[in-house]
Amino acid sequence: MYDLAREQCPTMDHLYQIAGLTLDAGFDSLGLYLEHRYAYPSTPWSHGRGILTPEMVDRLQSEFPSLRIIPFINLLGHFEGMLYTEPGKKYHEDLFTGMQACPSKDEFLGLCERIIDDTVRTFRSDIIHIGGDETWQLGSCPICKDKVESVPEGQDGKAKLYGEHFGPLAELVQKKGRRPAVWGDMYLQHPDALNAMPKETLIFDWQYFNGLKESAPTFTQAGFDVVGCPAIQTYNATWMHMEASEKNVLEVLRDVRDMDLYGVCVTTWECGLFGSYDTLYPAIEACGAYSQPNSDLAPGLFQQKYDEAGNGKWANQMSAALAECGGTFKPGRIRSSLKVRLLLNSNPFLAWLHHGEELAGEVGFDALAVFEKAMALGPGDAEKGITLFGRSAVEFVRIVEEAKILYAQGRAEAAITKLALTRRLFDDLAKVAERTTARCGGSLADAERCRIAKEHVERVIQRIRQYGDGSLGYLPAFEVITHPKFVPHDQACWWLINRWANQ
Ligand SMILES: [Zn+2]
């Protein structure tokens, strides 16, 4: 499954390449995870640049008639790409918070039906995936809250609210002659919601750190077919955790075989924030080989496929060797903190605030050595770009740490000289992002993130020039003067103290 929703903007050539790779790897289907990145004719207001269009899907289906191209649309949770537009904000569960639409709004139900219509009109797949994961805001707005609380004692009000939303939508998919599919996570939390679903609904049980033994029986015992979903772990890594990804894929595959489940969907997520789909192709090939009936499920195929592609040594540095550096590089379960803090929050100094000590020390030193080796080993632009991102992140944090010390010593000019060095890092990263977009349809936002980061560094340099000599009568803490919300003369930082600070 290809995650288009995280700002990807593939051309037809990129799509052909991915579809070809999917077939060659031995898969019979390609999932396109869409969210707001598909040009639904009903939502002309949501069509961002580089979006997948119905015409592109038509061409892809004609070119690859033997490949089932399954659309993944999201009809409650992960609706954020719609909710944060001016015309789409009216569907919110909570305004300017979270990623869920409100299942009690008739106008949202109408929109869901139109999105299903738009989808079945173009996609020929017998399976239509209507989403449903991570709807953590169930029962948040006053109307939904009332519904959730009005069920008889002992019943699960959220299960009722959720089931009454998805049951009819799944039936609508059936009426159109297709098989509905949904994510399994919310049914694991609210099993009663399964009662509302047609029995033909296919449940995609995603388990990225465990197998399916704990979860899948909930569905099979209720009479549902289950697709096991492991993940290539990119979102929680500087590049990808190869060993953890392979372990997850193998565990899920074994459970699918042992429990005789319907199938497997290998998910890939979040190649925004300096991911690059073309560096994942060997992993996809390994997953395809593992997924064949009676294949040997012994570990090692990921490394072998990268070796065959000529970037095995680079891949090993960027996964196993980098993980050994520890700290932020250790395989974790949430989005890579270094990626998020350097670029996602429009304030690169957050990376220093949270990782300054760690990356100025041994972890950063070791990681720079790994990036140095990887840079020499990376055979192509894709590998070098990701390596440059990792190296730049560590270098930025280390330079800022030095600037902090100079600033505290009253050496404002010296601190400025240090910080000025980092502008070049963001210029170079913006070029990497642009090349990734051209090469494999990567994120359009990444280059903008780099520009915003550089602008903020320049703003901080100005502030230090102006106030670093104590001209305010006090020297703002380095954490304060580097923060986007810094206000001169607000010595007490009310922007931070006020309990509505982030609203
Ligand atoms: Zn609501």
Side-chain angles (χ1 to χ4, degrees), residues 392-417:
S392 303
V394 174
E395 280 178 347
F396 176 78
V397 170
R398 287 169 75 96
I399 291 171
V400 174
E401 182 71 11
E402 289 170 11
K404 175 201 78 173
I405 293 165
L406 294 166
Y407 176 82
Q409 292 168 346
R411 299 168 62 193
E413 272 309 315
I416 288 169
T417 307

Side-chain angles (χ1 to χ4, degrees), residues 31-299:
L32 296 181
Y33 182 82
L34 302 171
E35 290 186 13
H36 56 291
R37 296 291 292 164
Y38 178 63
Y40 304 101
S42 300
T43 64
W45 45 267
S46 73
H47 299 182
R49 239 180 72 197
I51 199 170
L52 183 77
T53 65
E55 295 72 32
M56 291 166 89
V57 174
D58 269 341
R59 287 172 63 188
L60 193 61
Q61 291 178 142
S62 303
E63 194 74 21
F64 294 89
S66 61
L67 184 65
R68 174 166 57 183
I69 296 171
I70 304 177
F72 285 62
I73 56 180
N74 280 53
L75 300 182
L76 192 60
H78 278 294
F79 210 64
E80 60 269 25
M82 303 288 194
L83 296 179
Y84 292 107
T85 67
E86 185 60 27
K89 70 181 182 187
K90 61 178 175 285
Y91 303 112
H92 68 261
E93 179 68 21
D94 301 291
L95 183 63
F96 198 50
T97 299
M99 49 193 192
Q100 192 193 302
C102 174
S104 299
K105 286 181 176 158
D106 286 341
E107 56 191 345
F108 175 60
L109 296 184
L111 177 66
C112 291
E113 289 166 10
R114 289 195 297 279
I115 287 177
I116 289 174
D117 267 349
D118 288 346
T119 307
V120 297
R121 200 171 302 141
T122 301
F123 286 88
R124 297 174 200 158
S125 161
D126 54 332
I127 296 170
I128 304 288
H129 195 297
I130 56 175
D133 60 327
E134 301 187 329
T135 58
W136 300 314
Q137 288 160 277
L138 284 175
S140 182
C141 85
I143 299 168
C144 290
K145 189 164 183 273
D146 242 21
K147 286 187 184 172
V148 165
E149 287 172 357
S150 67
V151 296
E153 187 77 14
Q155 285 189 21
D156 180 352
K158 289 186 181 180
K160 185 164 184 283
L161 179 67
Y162 186 85
E164 284 178 357
H165 178 71
F166 276 106
L169 292 174
E171 282 162 15
L172 178 63
V173 170
Q174 281 185 308
K175 273 190 209 123
K176 294 182 180 293
R178 313 293 180 93
R179 183 170 190 184
V182 292
W183 297 114
D185 55 322
M186 297 311 293
Y187 299 94
L188 292 173
Q189 287 180 39
H190 304 288
D192 289 350
L194 281 172
N195 300 331
M197 303 305 290
K199 281 286 181 275
E200 291 71 26
T201 306
L202 202 47
I203 311 280
F204 280 58
D205 184 9
W206 56 276
Q207 301 294 337
Y208 304 156
F209 301 96
N210 303 299
L212 309 172
K213 286 193 185 70
E214 301 279 310
S215 51
T218 303
F219 307 119
T220 51
Q221 283 162 16
F224 291 91
D225 280 340
V226 172
V227 174
C229 307
I232 303 294
Q233 298 188 5
T234 47
Y235 64 94
N236 55 352
T238 308
W239 168 57
M240 188 243 287
H241 296 305
M242 197 153 65
E243 200 183 330
S245 301
E246 186 173 84
K247 183 169 175 268
N248 179 226
V249 167
L250 289 177
E251 200 170 0
V252 168
L253 277 170
R254 274 189 208 107
D255 289 347
V256 165
R257 280 186 193 175
D258 290 350
M259 290 187 265
D260 196 22
L261 301 179
Y262 183 84
V264 165
C265 170
V266 177
T267 63
T268 62
W269 296 108
E270 300 196 9
C271 276
L273 290 177
F274 282 83
S276 171
Y277 259 99
D278 48 358
T279 63
L280 304 183
Y281 295 167
I284 302 294
E285 287 171 11
C287 292
Y290 278 136
S291 302
Q292 300 314 303
N294 307 317
S295 68
D296 180 8
L297 297 182

